[in-house]
């Protein structure tokens, strides 16, 4: 008695062993790839990808070491301020969040949300 009648990937009728699921290695590999792509993304990958994107955007918009940009611009490009690697608190008590060596401080000026972008400096050590 056959458990699986057709290939899980291409749906061809199977012959051979009764517990066979795929007609060949290509179908097995393609099925596993498709299943992994459709499945939920692992949490670590999601966090890592967001941190990399945040770093890339902060680097791209902060060429001089310090810059100010409207928050909406970065957020529209996929920046998520909830993902950061560490923080630094200045003497005024303002907390800069960092994605690796590129940091940002959220400010509100004239009703507009902005980010002050900075690059990590040696004096910022705890």
């Amino acid at each position: 008695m056959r458990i699986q009648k057709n290939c899980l990937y291409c749906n061809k009728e199977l012959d051979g062993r009764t517990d066979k699921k795929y007609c060949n290695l290509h179908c097995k590999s393609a099925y596993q790839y498709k299943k992994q792509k459709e499945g939920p993304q692992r949490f670590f990958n999601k966090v890592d990808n967001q941190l990399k994107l945040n770093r890339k955007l902060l680097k791209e918009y902060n060429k001089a070491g310090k810059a100010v940009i409207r928050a909406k611009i970065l957020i529209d490009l996929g920046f998520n301020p909830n993902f950061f690697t560490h923080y630094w608190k200045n003497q005024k008590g303002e907390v800069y969040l960092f994605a690796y060596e590129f940091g940002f401080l959220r400010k509100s000026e004239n009703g507009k949300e902005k980010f002050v972008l900075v690059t990590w400096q040696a004096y910022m050590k705890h």
Side-chain angles (χ1 to χ4, degrees):
M1 175 177 235
R2 178 165 295 283
I3 297 169
Q4 179 71 34
K5 294 182 180 182
N6 297 329
C7 175
L8 290 174
Y9 184 71
C10 70
N11 210 28
K12 284 185 186 175
E13 189 173 336
L14 297 172
D15 49 301
R17 293 188 358 230
T18 58
D19 61 343
K20 194 173 181 180
K21 296 180 182 180
Y22 313 98
C23 50
N24 58 41
L25 286 176
H26 169 75
C27 282
K28 181 179 180 180
S29 178
Y31 179 81
Q32 294 298 330
Y33 179 76
K34 179 181 168 193
K35 186 176 170 185
Q36 184 178 6
K37 288 289 274 185
E38 291 173 353
Q41 191 178 26
R42 293 185 330 188
F43 179 73
F44 171 81
N45 289 346
K46 182 179 178 184
V47 171
D48 191 47
N49 289 340
Q50 185 62 58
L51 285 171
K52 286 177 184 175
L53 177 61
N54 282 1
R55 181 189 180 277
K56 175 184 167 200
L57 292 170
L58 291 172
K59 180 181 180 182
E60 186 176 321
Y61 285 90
N62 185 9
K63 301 284 186 196
K66 187 171 183 182
V68 178
I69 187 170
R70 286 192 180 164
K72 183 175 178 1
I73 293 171
L74 288 181
I75 291 170
D76 287 349
L77 293 169
F79 182 81
N80 186 336
N82 296 319
F83 288 80
F84 56 93
T85 55
H86 60 287
Y87 67 91
W88 174 71
K89 191 179 204 180
N90 69 10
Q91 291 177 343
K92 296 178 188 176
E94 298 170 319
V95 177
Y96 287 80
L97 304 176
F98 283 81
Y100 305 102
E101 73 272 32
F102 298 100
F104 62 97
L105 171 67
R106 182 173 275 195
K107 285 222 171 198
S108 184
E109 292 179 4
N110 302 325
K112 302 274 186 194
E113 285 289 316
K114 295 182 178 185
F115 290 130
V116 177
L117 308 182
V118 297
T119 303
W120 182 264
Q121 303 295 318
Y123 69 84
M124 293 178 172
K125 292 183 181 177
H126 296 297

